[in-house]
Amino acid sequence: MSNTAPSSKLPRWVTSFGPQIIASLILGVILGLIAKYTGSTADEPNALGETLSIIGSSYVSLLRAAVIPLIFFAVVASIANLSKVTNAARLAWQTLLWFAITALISVTIGILLGLLFQPGANTGQELPQDYSGRTGDWLAFITGLIPENFLGLAANTKIVEGAASTSMSFNVLQILVIAIAVGVAALKVGKAAEPFLVFSTSVLAIIQKVLWWIIRIAPIGTVGLIGNAVATYGWDTIGALGKFTLAIYVGLALVLFALYPTLIRLHGLSIKQYFSGVWPAVELAFVSRSSIGTLPLTQRVTERNLGVPSGYASFAVPLGATTKMDGCAAIYPAISAIFVAQFFNIDLSFTDYLLIAMVSVLGSAATAGTTGAIVMLTLTLSTLGLPLAGVGLLLAVDPILDMGRTAVNVAGQALIPTIVAKREGILDLDLYNAPRNGNPFAQEETEESKDLETSNA
């Protein structure tokens, strides 16, 4: 006879991840407005503003803490998995090709919108006195790929008021290079490396479990992230560069809601199923402003919602999180470069527009592990010989733009593996077309419930 009391189920909209994020967004905006209009500023936050800031920054710190081991072991394990696929080289080539194709289309959209909106025209600004034409330092970018140490870490020490503080930073591309080298070497070693590959797979499973716990509390982090953004910048920040902000978001919307659905439809897939499958990752990307931080969830929905085989997804999604940036590396630098040129009354030639496209397609990897779109913008302006003072000009609205940019980045990082898998005939169509339950963590929750029942038996 069972003594278990009947359990009352909460409505699905209460327990589903998507509605929880939306509710957190609304609550964050309300709390942010309250903080702002009760005197909270970026320099002197009040109690509510400080609390929102701590919650948001703490959540992002949790995500970033697992980035290095996640990328390293994910790439090593993915290379091992690719060895089991007969067309591994073709899959890798197709992935890179579609990265480039979508980047080229996206940057073209950005250029056309820049010419249509004329966001920086008629400002009457003069060139900065210290301005001189500069060219992009591609050599520095290439040498930056070479790891300085095994972990790709760097230490920066600052002395403020006689006290020294040291902060650690990491270069995601360098970690990627190290992981690829280790993974390929392990495969070449053969049988002697099998224990290492098994260990890597085991560690990756543990890291992903920890990250699932972190992502599951994303609604709490969302309240802090959005609330702090509203309290710090408010709605008036958008107005200062309104036309520019509008042009960026129109471009992002065209990529997300026109280009991506077109590609999905051309490959004979359901647009509705794509968006319902990828949306949890897009929501988290919007509030966290981190493709790397969203990586575990992006890979999860790509495999379990969109039906991409795990062996291929574990290679393509981490690669996309560091190099596939249609928002940060295509739409944003294209419109921004045109804005800066118009702002300082500099004429751009057809060759300049070709250079913008080239930098977008070839230089998107420069955004990885750094300050994102700002690095890409600096590279674009330098290549065109435009005033770098324009970078500082656009920083005022960057946090607002970064939310939309990152959401588009993540949507694209899930899109490319999906269409490549479909083209190669390895996409699980039954899984892709299956009904969504609104919870990308359902399997883990089921497993944990079974474990709990077993332990209580």
Side-chain angles (χ1 to χ4, degrees), residues 256-419:
L256 182 58
F257 298 115
L259 173 60
Y260 291 172
T262 299
L263 293 175
I264 286 291
R265 177 56 68 190
L266 288 176
H267 287 84
L269 297 171
S270 166
I271 296 173
K272 177 184 176 182
Q273 288 297 104
Y274 164 71
F275 277 114
S276 64
V278 78
W279 205 250
V282 172
E283 288 176 322
L284 181 59
F286 184 84
V287 298
S288 69
R289 296 167 49 197
S290 172
S291 294
I292 295 296
T294 312
L295 171 59
L297 183 56
T298 308
Q299 184 169 331
R300 185 177 304 274
V301 300
T302 302
E303 294 176 7
R304 299 184 181 179
N305 288 358
L306 301 181
V308 178
S310 176
Y312 170 51
S314 61
F315 163 79
V317 178
L319 179 65
T322 57
T323 60
K324 177 60 183 165
M325 305 281 181
D326 288 341
C328 289
I331 292 293
Y332 178 73
I335 297 177
S336 299
I338 294 173
F339 170 85
V340 172
Q342 293 172 348
F343 190 84
F344 292 112
N345 198 28
I346 300 173
D347 294 327
L348 295 179
S349 64
F350 180 73
T351 303
D352 292 321
Y353 295 119
L354 289 180
L355 281 174
I356 293 174
M358 181 196 73
V359 172
S360 173
V361 174
L362 300 180
S364 60
T367 64
T370 59
T371 51
I374 301 302
V375 172
M376 194 64 195
L377 174 58
T378 302
L379 181 61
T380 304
L381 296 181
S382 299
T383 303
L384 296 175
L386 294 174
L388 293 180
V391 176
L393 179 69
L394 299 178
L395 281 177
V397 292
D398 190 70
I400 296 167
L401 301 178
D402 199 27
M403 294 185 287
R405 290 189 312 236
T406 309
V408 171
N409 292 343
V410 166
Q413 291 157 15
L415 170 78
I416 298 305
T418 302
I419 62 177

Side-chain angles (χ1 to χ4, degrees), residues 199-214:
F199 169 76
S200 297
T201 303
S202 178
V203 172
L204 179 61
I206 294 171
I207 295 171
Q208 288 176 330
K209 174 62 72 174
V210 173
L211 282 167
W212 170 65
W213 292 336
I214 295 173

Side-chain angles (χ1 to χ4, degrees), residues 12 50 61 67 85 92 95 116 133 157 193 197 210 216 310 315 339 365 368 370 377 403 406 410 423 432-433:
R12 197 179 74 179
E50 183 71 19
S61 295
V67 165
V85 182
T95 302
L116 175 65
T157 301
L197 293 177
V210 173
R216 203 63 189 89
S310 176
F315 163 79
F339 170 85
T370 59
L377 174 58
M403 294 185 287
T406 309
V410 166
R423 293 173 66 88
Y432 183 94
N433 293 313

